[in-house]
Amino acid sequence: MSDSVKQSKYAFRAKLPLIFRGVAIAAGIVAVLLIGIGFYWGSFRSEFRMKGLPTKLSKDVVGEVVGYERRESENGVLSYYLKADKATTFSDKHQELENVYLQVFNDGDVNVFDRISSAKAIYIPADDGSKNFKLFFAGDVDIATRDRLNVKTQQLTYDKSTEIADAEEYVEFSRDNISGNSYGAIVHTQKKTLDLRKDVEIEAFANGAKDDELTKSKIQRAKINAGHAFVDQVAEKIDMDGNVAIALTPENQASGNLTQPTDIKSARATAYFTDREIRKLDLNGDVFVYQKPTSKNPTWTKTKANRAIATVKKQLEKLELFGSVEIETTQNNSEPTNIRANNAIYIKSTDSFELEDQVEIVTVEDAKPTRINAQRAIYEQTKGKISMYGGAQIVQGTDLIRGDVIKADLNPNRKLKYAVATGNAFLSQKTAERTTEVKAEELNASFGANEKPSSANAIGNGDVVIIPVNSKDYTRFRLFAPKSINLNFREDGTLTTLKTDGRTTIKLNAPNNSADAADKTLTADNVNTILRANGNELAKAEASGDAELVVTPIRSSPKNYITTINSQRFDCDFYEKNNAKNCRSTGNSKVIRVPTTSGKEKQTLSAETLDAIFNRGNQDIESFEASGKAKFIEGDRNGIADRISYQASDEIVRLRGGEPTVWDSQARGKATEIDWDTRGNKSALRSNVSTTYYSQKQTGGAAPFSNVNSPVFVTAGAANFDHDAETVLFIGNARAWQDNNYVRADRLFLQQKQGQFTADGNVQSLLYDVNRTVAGRQTKTPVFVSSKRMSYQKNLNLIRYEENVDIRQGTDRMVAGVANIFLDKDNELSRTVIENDVVITQPNRRASGDSAEYIASTETVRLTGNPARVRDSENGSSEGREVTVYLKENRIEGSGETKKNSSGRMRTVYKIKNGKIN
């Protein structure tokens, strides 16, 4: 590179700072010019911040008009009127206006128009050649619509084609008694709507309110806050969303007791107007309504729901709640009542709640809350009344009342005072020891100030059951009554009495399953039950009117009976734990006992008064005490006395007092005392025993009497009957007789099956007559016999006397050690055989021997002995081994050797006078 070139480059570099400085000065001048121009144009447009404002507008001014006015018509009808203090027109036909005033007319009526005014405006005509335009207003924008809507803001866009005014900044509006503000709004003058975009505040006053705050504070007012709101003037409603909050301030009335402010919150809401006043609010999403207390009315109510409809008239008049409703309400500074339901309606004038679907009301959240459940309910808070429908239930502490429908009154502290349940009515009371349950078609119950039940009435098919917590040794008690059951409680809430009307049944279930345990059922027209002081256990039961007691063993066994007692009245006492002690029946009582197994007969016991005494352990009947015309029947056997007692342990029926009598189809027995052993099928009669067999047949032919059809009577000091063996032992001065025949002894023993009769000790009898021929004529003479013992055998037709036998027949007498009397098939005397030291005496005649035999058919007596002797004071005597007396011929024959005469046979015959020996 040459030196000249290098010098040129160095010179250029040395001038660069000067060049840059010049360029910078020029650029600064250009910038200042540009800023000045921009400031000139922007000084007007800087106030317009609307998004819809065109970014490019002509800067070429074509005209300026001071005092600008413009009227536009369509088809000869005035459309709008625009005026401004100054109008600047640009080449693209847009105009910039100062102190603008716009009127938009309705059908050319100059008296009906919408008005917009502002400090400045930009007018932009439509591109399509129509008369439509857009106006961008800025600075103190004021809109007054033809239907009294006023809107104020700083920026506003008005589109003539849609008649929509759009404000993007803070907006204030009012229409009649409604005013408010928001950030951004769209006014559709044609559709008469106002869309409030953000941070909405609205106040609605009572119709006719003035603007001064003093007047506003005295009237009904609604203050609304929302994220967004849409005002529809035609439909007279406001749609709101975005954390809607509404504060209702009611008119400050002089009465004021029901006047309360209300705060409302929800996700969305619609306010409906009638005569320019809010009449209804439709709330959706997380609805919360708080009716606040005042100095005059301390009552307050808080509600939550998914949706709600509030009716407003001066104040909140009605509130309809839908979906997951929760209500907290109180009155007179009391503890709050909590309510849950799927749907609810609150009526302010009556201070009542109409609740539907899974209703739950908790009146007071304390140690013993009152809980109310139903499918539908009406809660009248001021009146303290609740009406419930469908699965209704009230729980207060451990007490419960339930029914298809319940109507209840509450105390001022919101505790249950009175309740009426109808349809499947149910009342339950629980204690540490037992549960008492009451069922009926209708049930009413009253509760005391201590929240305990004081009385209850079960009407229509009443059912009361007492269930022990520990069922061991505790009889379960249950009571049924078709008409009514009246329950009374002590002050501490324990049950004291149960009184019924109508056919009533008490069931007492045995406490255990032992082999001899028994259940009991008591039925009567009316029953009054008295409980012990603890309210858990029965003390007494009084049953009257066609009363019946049934005792049913749990298990069947030979000694168990199903016992039924009928009477006009029962008075029952109980041990602890509901265990029966005694039931006294009065008024012609009757007991029927049916065996639980085969092989035994039904038993019947009747009396004027009857005591059924129960075993404390197994609760079956332990004994009966019957008095007054008492009667006992088992199968064919009967017993009567003034008093009858029965012991289950030995199954003995004891008949006492009056004239105790037992009888069956065979015989009848009387005595001062009778013990009837039903288990052993035996009877013991003591003192003044008198027995009657209805005929000789009834003795089985065992009695030694001849008349088959005549009754047989037996008396004694005592008698023991074995009914299975068909034997009876009469003891102590026993006497049996039939017609004129009898047997008397210390003891008489009758064996019917064997056909045997035995007498023992001091036997005396008159059992048969003897037929004799005297002077050719037949005569009958009774025969009296005494001995130490006597027996009769039917199959042998034999009467046998033993030891000290003494037979008397008229003036004739026979004594011996043994006498056998043989009877024929007609029970008539066939023959008589006497033995052992036989002595026969007659007037003026005596006969003796070892034995003697009388043959009735031949009327002969054959004496045998060693020797047999006959001595006659008139005709002499004879003796021999055998002596035969022929009564008909009045002669005697003797034969046979004797100890005194062993030489051979000796025979002596001598005449018998008058035939005295037999």
Side-chain angles (χ1 to χ4, degrees):
M1 181 181 296
S2 64
D3 292 336
S4 58
V5 174
K6 290 180 180 179
Q7 289 178 355
S8 297
K9 288 183 178 181
Y10 289 145
F12 178 74
R13 290 179 181 175
K15 293 179 180 178
L16 278 176
L18 296 174
I19 294 170
F20 285 146
R21 187 180 297 116
V23 172
I25 293 170
I29 294 170
V30 172
V32 169
L33 292 173
L34 291 175
I35 290 171
I37 295 170
F39 179 79
Y40 173 79
W41 290 108
S43 63
F44 185 87
R45 298 185 57 204
S46 61
E47 298 182 18
F48 293 87
R49 300 178 293 275
M50 289 81 80
K51 294 179 182 179
L53 182 67
T55 58
K56 293 181 180 180
L57 290 174
S58 173
K59 303 178 183 61
D60 298 329
V61 177
V62 295
E64 290 183 358
V65 177
V66 177
Y68 176 80
E69 290 188 19
R70 180 178 177 180
R71 286 180 173 81
E72 290 288 345
S73 299
E74 294 182 6
N75 301 321
V77 177
L78 181 62
S79 177
Y80 70 88
Y81 166 70
L82 175 66
K83 74 174 182 175
D85 288 351
K86 181 181 178 181
T88 302
T89 305
F90 293 86
S91 60
D92 57 3
K93 298 182 181 181
H94 85 273
Q95 292 178 315
E96 294 179 0
L97 309 171
E98 296 180 16
N99 196 16
V100 183
Y101 179 82
L102 171 66
Q103 288 180 328
V104 180
F105 297 96
N106 182 24
D107 298 329
D109 188 344
V110 295
N111 297 314
V112 180
F113 55 85
D114 299 321
R115 174 182 61 79
I116 303 176
S117 64
S118 67
K120 295 180 180 182
I122 296 176
Y123 169 83
I124 300 175
D127 295 333
D128 56 6
S130 66
K131 294 183 179 181
N132 291 325
F133 59 87
K134 285 185 179 182
L135 270 171
F136 297 89
F137 297 91
D140 298 328
V141 180
D142 188 356
I143 302 175
T145 68
R146 68 197 73 173
D147 48 7
R148 305 177 307 283
L149 174 62
N150 294 306
V151 179
K152 292 183 179 182
T153 185
Q154 292 300 314
Q155 298 283 336
L156 180 71
T157 301
Y158 175 73
D159 190 333
K160 175 61 175 67
S161 62
T162 60
E163 294 190 24
I164 293 176
D166 188 351
E168 297 177 1
E169 298 183 5
Y170 179 78
V171 175
E172 292 182 352
F173 65 91
S174 65
R175 180 176 183 268
D176 298 330
N177 52 323
I178 299 173
S179 63
N181 59 78
S182 69
Y183 193 86
I186 299 174
V187 181
H188 198 310
T189 58
Q190 186 178 24
K191 294 183 178 181
K192 300 181 181 180
T193 63
L194 173 62
D195 191 350
L196 306 171
R197 290 175 170 172
K198 183 180 178 183
D199 299 335
V200 179
E201 291 185 3
I202 301 174
E203 284 191 281
F205 298 93
N207 191 22
K210 297 181 180 179
D211 291 337
D212 63 278
E213 292 300 321
L214 182 62
T215 304
K216 290 181 181 179
S217 65
K218 294 180 179 180
I219 64 170
Q220 175 208 356
R221 180 175 66 180
K223 185 176 181 180
I224 301 172
N225 292 86
H228 169 260
F230 185 82
V231 181
D232 188 333
Q233 298 177 47
V234 176
E236 291 197 85
K237 69 176 184 177
I238 302 175
D239 292 321
M240 297 161 279
D241 58 69
N243 298 320
V244 178
I246 304 171
L248 297 177
T249 302
E251 182 179 353
N252 210 354
Q253 298 175 359
S255 60
N257 289 334
L258 291 176
T259 302
Q260 291 177 274
T262 303
D263 287 350
I264 300 172
K265 294 180 181 180
S266 64
R268 298 174 303 282
T270 299
Y272 294 91
F273 293 78
T274 301
D275 295 332
R276 300 187 300 279
E277 291 188 17
I278 293 179
R279 297 299 190 191
K280 186 173 75 170
L281 293 167
D282 193 340
L283 311 166
N284 281 278
D286 298 325
V287 177
F288 174 77
V289 179
Y290 177 25
Q291 185 174 254
K292 301 191 309 186
T294 66
S295 59
K296 291 185 178 181
N297 188 357
T299 299
W300 57 265
T301 300
K302 295 179 181 179
T303 64
K304 295 180 181 180
N306 294 336
R307 179 173 175 263
I309 297 175
T311 302
V312 180
K313 187 175 181 181
K314 303 295 184 183
Q315 62 177 345
L316 179 65
E317 186 178 64
K318 179 180 179 182
L319 181 63
E320 300 175 68
L321 302 156
F322 308 94
S324 302
V325 177
E326 295 182 14
I327 301 172
E328 187 177 5
T329 181
T330 186
Q331 188 181 42
N332 299 326
N333 295 315
S334 63
E335 292 294 322
T337 295
N338 293 290
I339 302 172
R340 289 179 176 83
N342 278 337
N343 301 304
I345 299 175
Y346 170 66
I347 307 296
K348 174 62 180 176
S349 60
T350 57
D351 192 24
S352 62
F353 300 85
E354 297 179 9
L355 311 164
E356 287 191 359
D357 196 5
Q358 300 181 16
V359 178
E360 180 183 57
I361 303 173
V362 182
T363 59
V364 180
E365 291 279 9
D366 57 10
K368 294 182 179 179
T370 300
R371 297 184 180 274
I372 299 167
N373 297 90
Q375 282 302 305
R376 186 167 69 89
I378 299 174
Y379 173 35
E380 300 175 80
Q381 182 171 228
T382 302
K383 293 182 179 179
K385 293 181 178 292
I386 301 178
S387 300
M388 294 153 279
Y389 308 90
Q393 174 177 290
I394 301 176
V395 178
Q396 183 165 278
T398 59
D399 300 323
L400 177 148
I401 186 168
R402 187 170 63 215
D404 295 339
V405 176
I406 297 178
K407 295 188 177 181
D409 294 341
L410 303 178
N411 286 308
N413 64 354
R414 292 301 175 266
K415 293 295 185 179
L416 185 61
K417 178 181 179 181
Y418 180 74
V420 177
T422 55
N424 299 309
F426 176 80
L427 173 68
S428 173
Q429 185 192 52
K430 291 185 178 181
T431 67
E433 295 81 18
R434 54 95 182 121
T435 297
T436 301
E437 295 180 350
V438 185
K439 298 178 182 178
E441 294 174 4
E442 178 180 326
L443 196 153
N444 60 71
S446 297
F447 294 79
N450 60 354
E451 305 168 20
K452 301 290 186 181
S454 58
S455 66
N457 291 290
I459 303 170
N461 296 319
D463 181 357
V464 177
V465 60
I466 298 177
I467 306 168
V469 173
N470 183 5
S471 61
K472 185 179 180 181
D473 301 329
Y474 201 120
T475 295
R476 178 168 175 167
F477 166 80
R478 191 169 190 177
L479 182 146
F480 304 87
K483 289 186 178 180
S484 68
I485 304 173
N486 176 260
L487 298 90
N488 289 298
F489 299 82
R490 297 179 181 86
E491 188 174 350
D492 62 357
T494 56
L495 188 62
T496 177
T497 61
L498 294 165
K499 189 173 182 180
T500 69
D501 184 21
R503 194 68 183 163
T504 304
T505 299
I506 293 178
K507 288 185 176 292
L508 296 168
N509 292 345
N512 55 59
N513 290 323
S514 63
D516 52 358
D519 296 335
K520 286 156 287 299
T521 301
L522 176 62
T523 306
D525 292 340
N526 300 280
V527 174
N528 184 22
T529 305
I530 303 170
L531 284 85
R532 296 183 183 275
N534 59 13
N536 303 331
E537 304 166 352
L538 293 174
K540 293 181 178 293
E542 301 166 354
S544 60
D546 196 16
E548 179 180 83
L549 173 63
V550 179
V551 181
T552 306
I554 292 177
R555 301 180 185 178
S556 299
S557 74
K559 66 177 183 178
N560 286 346
Y561 287 78
I562 298 173
T563 302
T564 303
I565 307 174
N566 294 95
S567 181
Q568 284 302 305
R569 180 182 174 89
F570 283 100
D571 291 276
C572 298
D573 295 320
F574 294 83
Y575 295 110
E576 296 82 0
K577 301 180 180 180
N578 287 346
N579 295 324
K581 180 179 181 181
N582 174 69
C583 281
R584 166 166 285 192
S585 58
T586 53
N588 298 322
S589 304
K590 183 177 182 181
V591 180
I592 297 176
R593 288 166 49 88
V594 179
T596 58
T597 59
S598 60
K600 285 200 170 186
E601 298 282 351
K602 180 179 76 172
Q603 297 176 345
T604 302
L605 173 62
S606 60
E608 292 177 345
T609 302
L610 179 73
D611 283 290
I613 301 167
F614 293 86
N615 183 284
R616 190 166 187 170
N618 61 36
Q619 283 295 282
D620 200 354
I621 294 177
E622 185 174 73
S623 64
F624 290 106
E625 296 292 336
S627 61
K629 298 181 181 179
K631 182 177 183 180
F632 188 91
I633 302 172
E634 183 181 64
D636 182 44
R637 194 163 297 113
N638 302 262
I640 59 172
D642 187 55
R643 301 184 309 278
I644 293 178
S645 65
Y646 172 84
Q647 296 290 331
S649 58
D650 55 19
E651 298 185 50
I652 293 177
V653 180
R654 294 171 172 84
L655 295 88
R656 304 288 188 271
E659 193 176 48
T661 304
V662 291
W663 72 92
D664 56 20
S665 58
Q666 293 181 328
R668 176 189 301 270
K670 297 180 180 180
T672 303
E673 295 182 356
I674 298 177
D675 289 348
W676 175 357
D677 182 357
T678 61
R679 180 189 298 168
N681 203 17
K682 298 177 181 180
S683 297
L685 288 72
R686 291 184 295 276
S687 183
N688 299 319
V689 176
S690 174
T691 303
T692 302
Y693 291 91
Y694 306 127
S695 70
Q696 169 66 348
K697 289 181 181 179
Q698 307 305 327
T699 69
F705 300 114
S706 59
N707 193 331
V708 175
N709 296 316
S710 292
V712 176
F713 304 95
V714 184
T715 60
N720 295 315
F721 289 80
D722 188 330
H723 302 289
D724 289 336
E726 296 187 39
T727 65
V728 57
L729 175 63
F730 296 95
I731 304 170
N733 194 25
R735 182 173 183 268
W737 73 93
Q738 181 190 65
D739 299 331
N740 295 322
N741 299 324
Y742 67 87
V743 177
R744 179 181 292 144
D746 292 340
R747 291 177 299 278
L748 298 178
F749 187 48
L750 184 67
Q751 296 173 283
Q752 292 178 240
K753 288 182 178 180
Q754 293 81 4
Q756 295 180 359
F757 179 89
T758 303
D760 188 22
N762 300 312
V763 178
Q764 298 178 21
S765 70
L766 170 60
L767 295 176
Y768 57 92
D769 297 331
V770 64
N771 292 318
R772 291 292 303 278
T773 302
V774 179
R777 296 179 62 184
Q778 288 273 334
T779 61
K780 284 189 175 183
T781 301
V783 180
F784 298 90
V785 183
S786 65
S787 65
K788 187 174 183 180
R789 290 182 300 277
M790 173 207 145
S791 65
Y792 169 71
Q793 297 183 56
K794 174 186 175 183
N795 59 337
L796 299 176
N797 285 344
L798 170 65
I799 302 174
R800 179 180 175 86
Y801 297 92
E802 299 179 0
E803 197 172 340
N804 299 325
V805 179
D806 187 349
I807 303 174
R808 297 177 183 274
Q809 174 188 321
T811 58
D812 298 343
R813 182 178 182 184
M814 290 185 287
V815 295
V818 176
N820 294 305
I821 311 300
F822 293 93
L823 306 175
D824 61 17
K825 61 184 179 64
D826 297 322
N827 217 34
E828 295 288 338
L829 178 63
S830 174
R831 65 190 180 98
T832 301
V833 176
I834 56 178
E835 300 174 336
N836 299 337
D837 299 325
V838 177
V839 176
I840 303 173
T841 60
Q842 293 178 308
N844 303 319
R845 185 178 293 121
R846 184 176 186 277
S848 64
D850 294 332
S851 65
E853 180 179 10
Y854 171 74
I855 306 300
S857 60
T858 60
E859 296 186 37
T860 60
V861 177
R862 183 168 63 88
L863 286 161
T864 60
N866 195 20
R869 294 185 179 92
V870 177
R871 291 182 176 88
D872 190 313
S873 60
E874 294 181 357
N875 300 313
S877 63
S878 64
E879 61 180 29
R881 177 67 179 165
E882 182 177 293
V883 177
T884 303
V885 181
Y886 296 91
L887 298 178
K888 286 183 180 182
E889 292 89 2
N890 293 322
R891 64 186 180 89
I892 299 175
E893 290 185 358
S895 63
E897 62 182 17
T898 65
K899 290 181 179 180
K900 294 182 178 181
N901 185 359
S902 59
S903 60
R905 184 175 183 182
M906 183 185 70
R907 180 175 182 182
T908 302
V909 177
Y910 54 109
K911 188 175 180 181
I912 304 298
K913 296 180 179 180
N914 298 327
K916 296 295 182 179
I917 299 177
N918 52 27

